[in-house]
Amino acid sequence: MAMAIRVFLLLLLFLSSSNLTFSLFEDQVGLMDWHQQYIGKVKHAVFHTQKAGRKRVVVSTEENVVASLDLRHGEIFWRHVLGTNDAIDEIDIALGKYVIALSSEGSILRAWNLPDGQMVWESFLPGSKPSKALLSIPTNLKVDKDHVILIYSNGCLHAVSSIDGEVLWKKELATEGIEVQQLIHPLGSDIIYAVGFVGMEKLLIHQTHVSDLFQDSSATAVILPSKLMGMVALKISSTIIFIKVADAGKLEVVDKIDHAAAVSDGLSFLEGQQALALVQHGGSKIHLTVKLGPDWSGDLLKESFEMDHQRGVVHKVFINNYIRTDRSHGFRALIVMEDHSLLLLQQGEVVWSREDGLASIIDVTTSELPVEENGVSVAKVEHNLFEWLKGHILKLKGTLMLASPEDVVAIQRIRLKSSEKSKMTRDRNGFRKLLIVLSKAGKLFALHTGDGRIVWSLLLHTLHKSEACENPTGVNVYQWQVPHHHAMDENPSILVVGRCGHSLDAPGILSIVDTYTGNELNSLGPVHSIVQIIPLPFTDPTEQRLHLLMDAGLRAHLYPRTPEAIGIFQREFANIYWYSIEADNGIIRGHVLKNNCFLEVADEFCFETKALWSIVFPSESEKIIATVTRKLNEVVHTQAKVITDQEVMYKYVSKNLLFVATVAPKAVGEIGSVTPDESWLVVYLIDTITGRILHRLTHHGSQGPVHAVFSENWVVYHYFNLRAHRYEMSVIEIYDQSRADNKDVLNLILGKHNLTSPISSYSRPEVITKSQSYFFTHSVKTIAVTSTAKGITSKQLLIGTIGDQVLALDKRFLDPRRSINPTQAEKEEGIIPLTDSLPIIPQSYVTHALQVEGLRGIVTVPAKLESTTLVFSYGVDLYFTQLAPSRTYDSLTEDFSYALLLITIVALVVAIFVTWVLSERKELQEKWR
Amino acid sequence: MGTKNQRSSHSNFFFLCLCFSLLVSSPSLAFQSDELLVDDEEFGLEGGRSPDLDLDLTTSTRSSPPPPPQATTRTQATRKKSSDPDSDSKVQFSLDHAFGDSDFSPAGTFTARLKTGSHGGQTLTKLRFSRNAFTETEKGLFKKLLEADDFYRIRVPSNVLSPPGRDYIISAVKARCIPREGLDEHFVIHMDGVNILAVNYGSTGSCQYPRQFKFPAKWYFNSHTVLKNSEVAPRTQAFTEEILGGENGEGEGIKPPERSFWAKYWMYLIPLGLIVMNAITQAMNMPEEQAAGQSASQPQQPMAATQRGQSTVVRRR
């Protein structure tokens, strides 16, 4: 019988493991996932409108994207994301059908087919020394039906064939000491002029005139980089001056425009005439003026547009002309706003807009939605009931395969459009939340998890460029206040931390934003520098979380600055430790708080710290390349792990563990730059309270980059093995031995156990670690792990692959107890036989067939339903989905047929009655016999 | 810890065990030392060396008021010495300590042998430690630390050959964790060649929380020192195809093992068995009933009827 049970268990296990694939059916696409495509902040735009059926604009962006957009709706026809270090210098259209892009400081030239985005050719332009990269496509320079593309890059002038990308000829210019600034090709000529400086004398010729031309020139004048015919645009504070260059070096002020934001390049639209667009701000409106150059005779167009002030100021403007139905000239303008959004203006209207700020997300946090306040009205319920019944009858039809094709379509529509998922209230399963994202432009967006729509957006004025703060950057978003007790009458809020400038010692900026309304509640700044932010596990009576902000001088500042907060803080004062990592220096230090700061102005929220421990990595042999900690809000359901033979192992679950990976300083560079003998990877597990090294392991012949994830009592990290020429993933699990004696039931009953005694970091830890390595095919961009509400559900690793997809890999594959031939008992426990490489199962791609272009991060948020976790991955694109690592064992699936259940119950009840009546009758007959 | 281990392994004989645990109810020092030995052996490194090759490691470095420091115990020292053809030299580095926020002052000296390996790598072996005993002022300072529950900090240079190296390695412990019988301290020094990466400093065993405030009975140090080098990860094995077999592609890996006939068909066999058993019992009962039925078939009928009637009455109620 025992055998039978075993077999049964095995069968169960087999079934459960075979169910662990995540593929979905065609009709399930889009039910709980959404995908949004963006391009980033536009740098260049080239219109393609003449002689084209579909009008389009080709743009290149700061996220290194080349995209072709539909000019009517702003949709993406096609796009290509180049690598992160392949910045685009210039783009243009050649032959009317190829998009030419020059990138990587002029060393790579690529051509794509304009209609479909297929790559046509790619050529590499080597050069001797780095210089400005210029691209010029003369319209009528033909060599045997071939148009020539002229490129100046890396000190050389290249002529490239536009048909196949072949380099026709090459001329070295840099050796003659010329710094080429522009390429000029006069119409109908065979000569190219490369204009540049030999020395610097030429540049200063007209410098003296500037102050004469403009009286109030206390501010510095900047020449705008717009290409205008016979004119120069100067920007002095907020005024733009147009200066006409007359013959013989004479300068003449043509126009002065106040509050101008941006000027476009000149657009030659008629013989010898040039139009240029100018954008001005006025209140909540922006004014677009199209001027005619070079004689500056009147405005061709003057329009104003109502503009959402959350978009900030105009950064760039591109214009394009078209012929109106009445044969006059019309103009349309593409503008790039401060929040990186892209808008098309035409005929006094905003034709379309794209929120491309979402392509550059810095940090993500989540917020709950408001609690549903009142019950729904009866009428609504009745209406809903009818709809509900109809829907379920349709579904039943579908289940019983009676549905006609129209019905199938209707079912699919009902499922996709279910208003449930995009409601603005909290749901019982916790699937509906707000994703609060901070973009590089300093704008906050709240996205609804149901359908990915923008609920509100806020351009933070603290992250706005100002006198006090030159170039502010957002750093992180933290949950500031999460009301539980006052959930009905208080809104949650978040803390946005930024810096004025890129260096760590730049002054910090703080801002608190309400997550329901998107209003800025409070802002501070510029304040002390912010190097590190530590959310403390304490909240004040208004449920604001205490945060400790470390400045560059190793002082701790407590926020919120309230007396209650200081009271709570003083109570826990002795138990607050923190650590700092000096990655360049190779030192990790532990600190403890000491006393209040000695400043000129007494500040009771500021504390001095003192060093408690230090770890110094030898600079000649080790360099820190990765550090990872556990997520602060991670929940571990059980400390004990039952293994074979009813043995128990206790996980060493500590919030204060730090994983550090160091490599040989030589091996910091790219993979393959060192021999296996010169490179090694050392990984550490460090207790951050006492600075103890709990585990230290060297991988010889291995190299970074290291991507790691830390959860519960295990770390998984990914690196390159130079000896095997393959990527590897390793796992370290750490177990507590001091509790290992607690497996005797009698001792537990008698209370002779140390399970409830408080754990002190100062006790000597008795830990054992287990480790194992596996080969892994992909290189990895980022790794995350699923997190659920109670931590009961088994875990999955979410691996952002180089192909910009997210792969879900069961943690069971990374179990250091795997062996080649597991025993029967181990098999029952679910240990998979050891293989040398980790399997990549095509169905387990979370992103299915989609790609999250330019993938940078994966965020997992637990839903209230234990089986489910919400996954948000971001890069240039955004992708959101729900995952159930062990299937949805605690809820019925979406397509569960309630009607079938109902019918079954009714049928059963009827059957009971019928049989009862029958039996009664029979009994009666028996009695009469 | 050792006692508990033993106890658990004898978990089946828990009565015996209970007696045993009662016998050794007080945590004995002998077993703690056992732990240290395991540590040392695991990493093949040195704690120190004693001339008398004593196995009892509790007498590690003991700072007695008259300075001559007792060497620590080592069992493997002789073996190591004999297998040491490489050149080696003696190095010394000092241990400094600080009380709370005070400045660092010398507290002891580590002495070790610097072994130069065949390919130029230098390693330290045979670490000895001589601890200076507390002076009266230091005692006073330490008492203050105990009262305030403050930190007792130590530091060592990060490079043994050219102290202090890049920076000092600092480690600290709450002073209240150290006093036991005497002052028990435990050093784990993480080395990489001649560089010290980190020192794990603390009490030898656990440190209860909340921390007890008590003075040590005797003012001398029991020092345990362990040198640790990095473990080397085993090479990832590349399996041949045949080991991998067919399960590579699927990756699911769990293959139902070869099952016996019973294991395969138990779900059919059990009902079959039940049916057979049922049939047998019926067959057993049948002859009696038939025999009874034939002899008294006439009176049987009404009785059965009455019985049924009764039962229905009962049910109706």
Side-chain angles (χ1 to χ4, degrees), chain A residues 585 589 610-611 613-614 616-617 620-621 684 693 696 698 728 758 762-764 813 836 923 926-927, chain B residues 101 151 153 166-168 170 191-192 195 197 200 204-205 207 209 230-231 233 236-237 239 251 308 316:
Chain A
N585 220 353
R589 288 180 208 278
K610 68 175 174 188
W613 53 265
S614 64
V616 180
F617 296 104
E620 67 274 11
S621 62
Y684 297 88
I693 295 179
R696 179 175 167 208
T698 310
E728 265 183 17
Y762 291 109
S763 301
R764 195 153 70 91
F813 287 110
D836 62 347
E923 231 166 63
E926 291 269 325
K927 280 181 187 162
Chain B
D101 297 334
F151 291 99
R153 297 192 291 163
R166 287 206 295 142
D167 202 343
Y168 282 103
I170 307 171
M191 301 287 304
D192 179 41
N195 294 303
L197 266 80
N200 299 354
T204 38
C207 181
Y209 186 87
S230 179
E231 288 173 60
T236 314
Q237 315 163 13
F239 299 160
R308 211 176 293 148
R316 290 253 166 90

Side-chain angles (χ1 to χ4, degrees), chain A residues 778-836:
Chain A
H778 286 303
S779 58
V780 159
K781 284 188 167 177
T782 176
I783 307 185
V785 65
T786 57
S787 56
T788 51
K790 302 265 188 305
I792 301 168
T793 310
S794 65
K795 301 247 171 197
Q796 276 184 340
L797 293 170
L798 300 173
I799 300 168
T801 65
I802 196 76
D804 293 323
Q805 292 200 300
V806 179
L807 178 76
L809 185 70
D810 217 288
K811 169 68 179 59
R812 290 190 307 150
F813 287 110
L814 287 141
D815 185 342
R817 292 174 53 234
R818 282 175 74 182
S819 58
I820 297 170
N821 291 312
T823 61
Q824 191 65 30
E826 281 175 337
K827 275 184 190 168
E828 275 172 32
E829 194 199 319
I831 286 182
I832 304 165
L834 181 64
T835 50
D836 62 347

Side-chain angles (χ1 to χ4, degrees), chain B residues 21-91:
Chain B
S21 64
L22 282 170
L23 276 174
V24 284
S25 56
S26 65
S28 62
L29 286 166
F31 280 99
Q32 281 183 355
S33 63
D34 191 68
E35 179 74 29
L36 184 69
L37 184 68
V38 167
D39 257 10
D40 285 355
E41 270 178 353
E42 196 180 331
F43 304 103
L45 290 163
E46 282 303 319
R49 196 169 62 90
S50 105
D52 52 0
L53 295 177
D54 197 351
L55 258 170
D56 185 14
L57 282 175
T58 41
T59 64
S60 19
T61 312
R62 172 164 299 185
S63 68
S64 43
Q70 289 281 306
T72 40
T73 52
R74 247 353 263 163
T75 45
Q76 290 141 325
T78 44
R79 179 173 54 79
K80 284 225 166 134
K81 201 183 261 174
S82 59
S83 65
D84 249 7
D86 300 317
S87 63
D88 48 0
S89 56
K90 236 180 179 183
V91 282

Side-chain angles (χ1 to χ4, degrees), chain A residues 147 163 331:
Chain A
H147 282 263
I163 288 176
F331 292 92

Side-chain angles (χ1 to χ4, degrees), chain A residues 133-420:
Chain A
L134 299 169
L135 173 73
S136 160
I137 301 178
T139 44
N140 46 3
L141 184 70
K142 273 193 184 177
V143 182
D144 304 335
K145 289 183 191 168
D146 190 359
H147 282 263
V148 175
I149 302 168
L150 296 172
I151 291 122
Y152 178 75
S153 70
N154 295 326
C156 291
L157 183 64
H158 303 264
V160 179
S161 157
S162 58
I163 288 176
D164 55 4
E166 201 187 327
V167 178
L168 299 174
W169 50 263
K170 182 178 156 185
K171 172 112 178 93
E172 197 97 1
L173 291 174
T175 47
E176 293 156 33
I178 306 171
E179 269 184 61
V180 175
Q181 295 297 316
Q182 206 158 354
L183 297 176
I184 298 161
H185 178 253
L187 291 176
S189 145
D190 278 354
I191 304 164
I192 306 137
Y193 298 92
V195 184
F197 310 122
V198 179
M200 290 303 275
E201 317 96 68
K202 240 172 132 184
L203 188 68
L204 301 168
I205 289 176
H206 298 295
Q207 188 63 45
T208 47
H209 293 276
V210 175
S211 54
D212 301 340
L213 293 169
F214 188 70
Q215 302 308 317
D216 179 33
S217 62
S218 54
T220 49
V222 183
I223 299 176
L224 292 176
S226 299
K227 290 174 189 161
L228 306 169
M229 191 193 274
M231 267 201 281
V232 176
L234 271 185
K235 184 164 187 169
I236 298 171
S237 59
S238 69
T239 312
I240 291 183
I241 319 170
F242 291 93
I243 301 161
K244 193 172 172 180
V245 185
D247 294 337
K250 266 197 177 174
L251 298 180
E252 174 189 337
V253 175
V254 179
D255 205 353
K256 269 199 275 186
I257 289 149
D258 289 336
H259 308 296
V263 181
S264 75
D265 280 352
L267 171 79
S268 27
F269 70 105
L270 279 176
E271 199 67 37
Q273 277 190 319
Q274 214 186 23
L276 74 97
L278 197 90
V279 181
Q280 283 170 278
H281 285 274
S284 65
K285 287 190 169 185
I286 61 163
H287 306 287
L288 174 76
T289 320
V290 179
K291 297 251 186 203
L292 189 65
D295 44 349
W296 212 262
S297 55
D299 301 337
L300 285 171
L301 185 78
K302 208 167 169 95
E303 283 168 350
S304 44
F305 305 86
E306 198 66 42
M307 189 58 65
D308 179 6
H309 71 105
Q310 296 299 356
R311 293 194 189 277
V313 297
V314 177
H315 271 190
K316 277 199 168 92
V317 56
F318 304 94
I319 55 163
N320 174 236
N321 67 319
Y322 62 94
I323 312 282
R324 290 205 187 111
T325 43
D326 59 354
R327 300 266 161 200
S328 63
H329 285 283
F331 292 92
R332 53 170 85 92
L334 196 64
I335 58 169
V336 181
M337 305 297 293
E338 192 184 4
D339 68 340
H340 299 184
S341 60
L342 185 69
L343 296 95
L344 184 78
L345 311 177
Q346 189 179 333
Q347 295 158 20
E349 265 182 79
V350 177
V351 183
W352 50 260
S353 64
R354 293 181 55 88
E355 288 291 350
D356 278 308
L358 286 170
S360 49
I361 290 175
I362 295 175
D363 199 14
V364 183
T365 188
T366 52
S367 162
E368 294 289 343
L369 282 159
V371 182
E372 196 155 10
E373 278 172 18
N374 305 314
V376 265
S377 68
V378 181
K380 209 175 169 188
V381 167
E382 271 175 1
H383 172 74
N384 280 350
L385 197 72
F386 180 68
E387 287 285 306
W388 185 86
L389 217 69
K390 214 170 93 181
H392 276 292
I393 285 169
L394 268 176
K395 262 189 199 170
L396 180 70
K397 268 183 164 179
T399 326
L400 300 175
M401 306 203 181
L402 297 170
S404 62
E406 296 92 73
D407 289 346
V408 172
V409 171
I411 294 169
Q412 188 63 11
R413 200 179 50 238
I414 289 170
R415 292 170 70 182
L416 282 179
K417 281 200 172 168
S418 122
S419 58
E420 273 293 296

